[in-house]
Amino acid sequence: MATLLHIDSSALPFGSTSRDVTQAFKENWLAQHPEGTVVYRDLGAQPVPHLDAAGISAGFSDPATHNDEQKAAMALRDELATELENADVILIGAPMYNLTIPSTLKAWLDQVVIMGRTAGENSTLAGKPAVVVASRGGAYGPGTPREGADFAATFLEKALTDFFQLEVHVIIPELTLAKVNPAMAELIPLSEASREQALAQAAGKAKELAARVAGA
Protein backbone atom coordinates (compact mmCIF):
# COMPACT_ATOMS: atom_id res chain seq x y z
CA MET A 1 0.00 0.00 0.00
CA ALA A 2 1.49 3.34 -1.08
CA THR A 3 2.12 5.98 1.57
CA LEU A 4 2.33 9.74 1.05
CA LEU A 5 3.79 11.95 3.78
CA HIS A 6 2.17 15.37 3.32
CA ILE A 7 3.59 18.33 5.22
CA ASP A 8 2.18 21.86 5.11
CA SER A 9 3.90 24.78 6.82
CA SER A 10 1.91 27.85 5.79
CA ALA A 11 0.71 29.89 8.75
CA LEU A 12 -2.49 30.63 6.81
CA PRO A 13 -5.24 28.00 7.13
CA PHE A 14 -7.04 29.47 4.11
CA GLY A 15 -5.94 31.45 1.07
CA SER A 16 -2.55 29.75 0.98
CA THR A 17 -1.16 28.99 -2.45
CA SER A 18 1.25 26.37 -1.13
CA ARG A 19 -1.65 24.58 0.56
CA ASP A 20 -3.74 24.73 -2.60
CA VAL A 21 -0.97 23.21 -4.69
CA THR A 22 -0.10 20.45 -2.18
CA GLN A 23 -3.82 19.67 -1.98
CA ALA A 24 -3.91 19.29 -5.77
CA PHE A 25 -0.98 16.90 -5.57
CA LYS A 26 -2.65 14.86 -2.82
CA GLU A 27 -5.96 14.63 -4.66
CA ASN A 28 -4.28 13.37 -7.82
CA TRP A 29 -2.17 10.97 -5.78
CA LEU A 30 -5.27 9.51 -4.11
CA ALA A 31 -7.01 9.22 -7.46
CA GLN A 32 -4.23 6.81 -8.44
CA HIS A 33 -4.03 5.15 -5.00
CA PRO A 34 -7.55 5.29 -3.49
CA GLU A 35 -6.57 2.66 -0.93
CA GLY A 36 -3.30 4.38 -0.14
CA THR A 37 -2.27 6.06 3.08
CA VAL A 38 -1.73 9.79 3.60
CA VAL A 39 0.13 10.84 6.73
CA TYR A 40 -0.51 14.55 7.24
CA ARG A 41 1.33 17.08 9.38
CA ASP A 42 0.15 20.67 9.49
CA LEU A 43 3.11 22.51 10.99
CA GLY A 44 1.25 25.81 10.79
CA ALA A 45 -1.52 24.54 13.07
CA GLN A 46 0.51 22.10 15.15
CA PRO A 47 4.21 23.02 15.10
CA VAL A 48 6.78 20.63 16.47
CA PRO A 49 9.15 21.90 19.17
CA HIS A 50 12.47 23.41 18.23
CA LEU A 51 15.40 21.08 18.67
CA ASP A 52 16.85 21.67 22.15
CA ALA A 53 19.81 20.50 24.20
CA ALA A 54 18.06 17.28 25.22
CA GLY A 55 17.25 16.38 21.64
CA ILE A 56 20.73 17.20 20.38
CA SER A 57 22.56 15.30 23.09
CA ALA A 58 20.20 12.31 22.75
CA GLY A 59 20.98 12.09 19.05
CA PHE A 60 24.69 11.66 19.73
CA SER A 61 24.67 9.38 22.76
CA ASP A 62 23.86 5.80 23.74
CA PRO A 63 20.10 5.43 24.40
CA ALA A 64 20.95 3.38 27.51
CA THR A 65 22.40 6.53 29.08
CA HIS A 66 19.47 8.85 28.35
CA ASN A 67 17.68 10.63 31.16
CA ASP A 68 13.90 11.18 31.08
CA GLU A 69 14.21 14.49 29.21
CA GLN A 70 16.44 12.94 26.55
CA LYS A 71 14.13 9.95 26.20
CA ALA A 72 11.13 12.21 25.56
CA ALA A 73 13.06 14.34 23.08
CA MET A 74 14.34 11.30 21.19
CA ALA A 75 10.88 9.73 21.12
CA LEU A 76 9.62 12.69 19.11
CA ARG A 77 12.61 12.63 16.78
CA ASP A 78 12.11 8.90 16.23
CA GLU A 79 8.39 9.38 15.50
CA LEU A 80 9.07 12.05 12.88
CA ALA A 81 11.95 10.11 11.32
CA THR A 82 9.86 6.95 11.12
CA GLU A 83 7.15 8.84 9.24
CA LEU A 84 9.77 9.80 6.66
CA GLU A 85 11.16 6.29 6.42
CA ASN A 86 7.70 4.76 5.96
CA ALA A 87 6.71 7.15 3.17
CA ASP A 88 6.97 6.23 -0.49
CA VAL A 89 6.71 9.90 -1.51
CA ILE A 90 7.24 13.06 0.55
CA LEU A 91 5.27 16.24 -0.17
CA ILE A 92 6.27 19.54 1.46
CA GLY A 93 4.46 22.87 1.23
CA ALA A 94 7.00 25.61 1.89
CA PRO A 95 5.95 29.25 1.44
CA MET A 96 8.72 31.81 1.48
CA TYR A 97 8.66 33.95 4.62
CA ASN A 98 11.19 36.80 4.65
CA LEU A 99 13.37 35.16 2.01
CA THR A 100 13.48 31.68 3.58
CA ILE A 101 11.32 28.83 4.86
CA PRO A 102 8.89 29.16 7.81
CA SER A 103 10.50 28.59 11.21
CA THR A 104 8.01 25.76 11.80
CA LEU A 105 9.40 23.86 8.82
CA LYS A 106 12.97 24.50 9.95
CA ALA A 107 12.08 23.12 13.39
CA TRP A 108 10.72 19.95 11.79
CA LEU A 109 13.79 19.62 9.59
CA ASP A 110 16.13 19.99 12.57
CA GLN A 111 14.26 17.23 14.39
CA VAL A 112 14.44 14.73 11.52
CA VAL A 113 18.10 15.23 10.62
CA ILE A 114 19.54 12.32 12.59
CA MET A 115 23.12 11.60 11.62
CA GLY A 116 23.79 7.93 11.02
CA ARG A 117 20.13 7.27 10.35
CA THR A 118 18.14 9.63 8.14
CA ALA A 119 21.15 11.80 7.38
CA GLY A 120 24.59 10.87 6.14
CA GLU A 121 26.24 8.60 3.64
CA ASN A 122 23.90 5.66 4.29
CA SER A 123 20.69 7.59 4.77
CA THR A 124 17.59 5.45 5.29
CA LEU A 125 15.80 7.88 2.96
CA ALA A 126 18.19 7.67 0.01
CA GLY A 127 16.47 7.69 -3.35
CA LYS A 128 12.96 8.50 -2.13
CA PRO A 129 11.16 11.15 -4.22
CA ALA A 130 10.23 14.40 -2.51
CA VAL A 131 8.11 17.19 -3.99
CA VAL A 132 8.56 20.71 -2.62
CA VAL A 133 5.93 23.36 -3.32
CA ALA A 134 7.90 26.55 -2.72
CA SER A 135 5.46 29.42 -3.13
CA ARG A 136 6.67 33.01 -2.97
CA GLY A 137 5.02 36.41 -2.96
CA GLY A 138 7.30 37.98 -5.54
CA ALA A 139 9.53 36.88 -8.39
CA TYR A 140 13.10 35.73 -7.80
CA GLY A 141 14.01 34.09 -11.09
CA PRO A 142 16.74 35.03 -13.57
CA GLY A 143 16.53 38.63 -14.72
CA THR A 144 14.29 39.82 -11.87
CA PRO A 145 15.43 42.53 -9.42
CA ARG A 146 15.54 39.95 -6.62
CA GLU A 147 17.36 37.25 -8.51
CA GLY A 148 19.48 35.18 -6.14
CA ALA A 149 17.53 36.15 -3.00
CA ASP A 150 15.50 32.93 -2.82
CA PHE A 151 16.72 31.12 0.29
CA ALA A 152 13.62 28.93 0.57
CA ALA A 153 13.50 26.65 -2.47
CA THR A 154 17.27 26.66 -2.86
CA PHE A 155 17.83 25.87 0.82
CA LEU A 156 15.31 23.03 0.92
CA GLU A 157 16.59 21.46 -2.28
CA LYS A 158 20.14 21.52 -0.94
CA ALA A 159 19.21 20.26 2.52
CA LEU A 160 16.95 17.44 1.35
CA THR A 161 19.50 16.32 -1.23
CA ASP A 162 22.64 16.57 0.89
CA PHE A 163 21.32 15.31 4.21
CA PHE A 164 18.74 12.75 3.12
CA GLN A 165 19.89 11.95 -0.43
CA LEU A 166 16.29 12.43 -1.60
CA GLU A 167 15.27 12.86 -5.22
CA VAL A 168 13.87 16.39 -5.04
CA HIS A 169 11.32 17.95 -7.39
CA VAL A 170 10.49 21.65 -6.90
CA ILE A 171 7.29 23.41 -7.96
CA ILE A 172 7.32 27.21 -7.64
CA PRO A 173 4.12 29.26 -7.80
CA GLU A 174 5.18 32.90 -7.56
CA LEU A 175 3.80 36.43 -7.38
CA THR A 176 1.25 35.19 -4.87
CA LEU A 177 0.96 38.66 -3.28
CA ALA A 178 -0.17 40.33 -6.51
CA LYS A 179 -3.87 40.24 -5.58
CA VAL A 180 -3.36 41.76 -2.13
CA ASN A 181 -0.59 44.25 -2.81
CA PRO A 182 -1.83 47.24 -4.86
CA ALA A 183 1.70 47.95 -6.06
CA MET A 184 1.68 44.55 -7.77
CA ALA A 185 -1.75 44.82 -9.39
CA GLU A 186 -0.37 44.78 -12.93
CA LEU A 187 1.23 41.42 -12.17
CA ILE A 188 -2.06 39.65 -11.38
CA PRO A 189 -2.24 37.93 -14.80
CA LEU A 190 1.29 36.57 -14.33
CA SER A 191 0.39 35.47 -10.80
CA GLU A 192 -2.66 33.60 -12.03
CA ALA A 193 -0.69 31.97 -14.82
CA SER A 194 2.01 30.86 -12.35
CA ARG A 195 -0.63 29.39 -10.05
CA GLU A 196 -2.30 27.44 -12.83
CA GLN A 197 1.06 26.16 -14.03
CA ALA A 198 1.93 25.02 -10.49
CA LEU A 199 -1.40 23.22 -10.10
CA ALA A 200 -0.85 21.45 -13.42
CA GLN A 201 2.70 20.51 -12.44
CA ALA A 202 1.48 19.14 -9.12
CA ALA A 203 -1.17 17.02 -10.81
CA GLY A 204 1.30 15.71 -13.37
CA LYS A 205 4.00 14.95 -10.83
CA ALA A 206 1.51 13.17 -8.55
CA LYS A 207 0.40 10.89 -11.37
CA GLU A 208 4.01 10.25 -12.43
CA LEU A 209 5.20 9.32 -8.95
CA ALA A 210 2.07 7.32 -8.17
CA ALA A 211 2.65 5.22 -11.28
CA ARG A 212 6.30 4.72 -10.34
CA VAL A 213 5.43 3.57 -6.82
CA ALA A 214 2.75 1.24 -8.15
CA GLY A 215 5.27 -0.35 -10.49
CA ALA A 216 8.01 -0.69 -7.92
Side-chain angles (χ1 to χ4, degrees):
M1 183 180 295
T3 299
L4 172 69
L5 175 59
H6 175 188
I7 297 168
D8 278 326
S9 61
S10 172
L12 302 175
F14 304 104
S16 162
T17 298
S18 67
R19 287 181 184 273
D20 289 345
V21 177
T22 59
Q23 179 68 18
F25 183 101
K26 181 176 70 173
E27 289 174 356
N28 280 275
W29 167 272
L30 287 174
Q32 304 297 314
H33 291 291
E35 303 302 321
T37 300
V38 176
V39 176
Y40 182 55
R41 280 198 176 268
D42 186 341
L43 300 178
Q46 295 181 308
V48 300
H50 288 285
L51 186 62
D52 59 10
I56 293 172
S57 59
F60 290 96
S61 58
D62 183 347
T65 68
H66 290 175
N67 59 32
D68 289 345
E69 189 178 10
Q70 289 174 313
K71 288 177 182 178
M74 203 61 207
L76 173 62
R77 300 191 72 187
D78 178 69
E79 176 187 355
L80 298 174
T82 299
E83 286 179 350
L84 273 169
E85 291 167 336
N86 289 342
D88 294 292
V89 175
I90 300 152
L91 172 66
I92 301 174
M96 178 190 285
Y97 288 170
N98 301 316
L99 302 182
T100 190
I101 63 173
S103 62
T104 52
L105 183 54
K106 181 59 165 60
W108 172 85
L109 185 63
D110 287 341
Q111 293 282 8
V112 296
V113 173
I114 303 176
M115 298 306 298
R117 180 178 170 181
T118 59
E121 185 177 354
N122 297 310
S123 169
T124 53
L125 307 175
K128 288 181 183 286
V131 177
V132 174
V133 177
S135 59
R136 52 200 193 191
Y140 295 80
T144 64
R146 293 189 175 184
E147 178 181 357
D150 174 359
F151 303 105
T154 52
F155 165 73
L156 271 181
E157 186 170 14
K158 183 69 171 176
L160 297 178
T161 301
D162 284 9
F163 286 132
F164 303 144
Q165 300 175 46
L166 293 173
E167 173 194 312
V168 181
H169 307 267
V170 181
I171 298 172
I172 301 179
E174 61 181 9
L175 299 170
T176 62
L177 292 178
K179 289 186 176 180
V180 297
N181 184 347
M184 298 175 64
E186 65 180 17
L187 300 175
I188 290 177
L190 291 176
S191 170
E192 293 176 340
S194 180
R195 174 187 171 86
E196 291 305 312
Q197 181 181 43
L199 290 169
Q201 288 175 331
K205 187 59 66 176
K207 294 174 184 176
E208 173 195 328
L209 295 179
R212 184 199 303 184
V213 169

